[in-house]
Amino acid sequence: MLGVHDLPTYLAGLALIILLPGPNSLYVLSVGARRGVRDGYAAAAGVFTGDTVLMTLSALGAASLLQTTPLLFAAVKYAGAGYLCWLAVGMLRQARAMWRTRHEQAQDGQAAAADGAGERPYRRALMLSLFNPKAILFMISFFVQFVQPDYAYPALSFLLLGALLQLGSFLYLSTLIFSGTRLAAAFRRRKRLSAGASSAAGALFLGFAVKLSLSGV
């Protein structure tokens, strides 16, 4: 089909990849829980846009450029790690405010609103996706295994594989968004639970940053 072989194997691998927890899905879940369905989909749209850009760059050879230019890879890698740290600090600050005001409903609501007022979910999710050179390397190395080398139009093969990836991501992120909005009610009732979740999310983002900064090409 359009130069793609072993499609069932690709779909099985795709499902496992999508279900693995990562900074993109964690951020979408966080936005859905804190700000509702609309902003959750804004964050998801940022992820879709970023993934589309990365897939396009992969097809155009950006993966090979990153592999053969260590300095460029390092620059993008550390920029991505820094951005993850910045997000983590914001989440930990929000958690601290929740802990300090957990017995004061009005003040807690005002603190949460002030913290999220300047947040732009689409832009944050887009930057989170783009500052990940590993994603470019992964996409090109994973996709190429399922493209027939003698097919006359390999761009169509990449288009099909990318479309399936986006469809799977859309279904998964939609599940996270609606799950997040249900969790939001519990978080609003239990301030300790909300503060603990924000702390855990911040710690995970710091972990992602460390993992990215220590990874090699």
Side-chain angles (χ1 to χ4, degrees):
M1 179 188 298
L2 295 179
V4 175
H5 62 86
D6 294 334
L7 186 58
T9 303
Y10 172 76
L11 293 176
L14 194 64
L16 292 175
I17 292 163
I18 291 174
L19 292 175
L20 286 175
N24 291 347
S25 57
L26 180 61
Y27 180 67
V28 172
L29 175 60
S30 173
V31 171
R34 291 183 290 108
R35 305 187 59 168
V37 172
R38 181 175 180 178
D39 284 335
Y41 272 110
V47 173
F48 299 146
T49 304
D51 286 347
T52 299
V53 171
L54 293 182
M55 284 186 285
T56 303
L57 291 176
S58 298
L60 294 177
S64 298
L65 179 63
L66 288 176
Q67 286 177 318
T68 57
T69 312
L71 183 60
L72 176 61
F73 180 87
V76 177
K77 179 177 70 172
Y78 289 120
Y83 189 70
L84 286 174
C85 285
W86 182 72
L87 289 178
V89 169
M91 291 180 178
L92 292 174
R93 288 180 59 190
Q94 182 183 22
R96 181 184 178 188
M98 289 177 181
W99 280 113
R100 294 178 63 181
T101 61
R102 61 186 183 277
H103 298 305
E104 305 171 17
Q105 295 291 113
Q107 291 183 13
D108 183 76
Q110 293 172 0
D115 181 80
E119 184 177 3
R120 298 178 180 177
Y122 175 83
R123 188 174 69 177
R124 284 196 177 186
L126 175 62
M127 299 299 290
L128 195 60
S129 296
L130 292 179
F131 279 118
N132 187 2
K134 283 288 185 181
I136 302 178
L137 297 176
F138 164 77
M139 286 180 182
I140 192 70
S141 61
F142 183 63
F143 283 6
V144 75
Q145 298 180 49
F146 300 95
V147 176
Q148 295 176 6
D150 56 346
Y151 186 64
Y153 305 102
L156 292 179
S157 304
F158 275 88
L159 179 62
L160 174 59
L161 295 173
L164 291 173
L165 172 61
Q166 294 288 57
L167 176 60
S169 295
F170 174 78
L171 295 175
Y172 178 58
L173 293 180
S174 294
T175 301
L176 293 182
I177 290 168
F178 285 100
S179 298
T181 55
R182 291 190 176 187
L183 290 173
F187 288 161
R188 282 192 292 268
R189 290 193 301 268
R190 301 181 180 181
K191 300 303 176 181
R192 289 184 179 182
L193 176 62
S194 183
S198 293
S199 299
L204 282 174
F205 269 70
L206 283 177
F208 289 134
V210 172
K211 181 178 178 182
L212 178 59
S213 63
L214 295 179
S215 65
V217 178

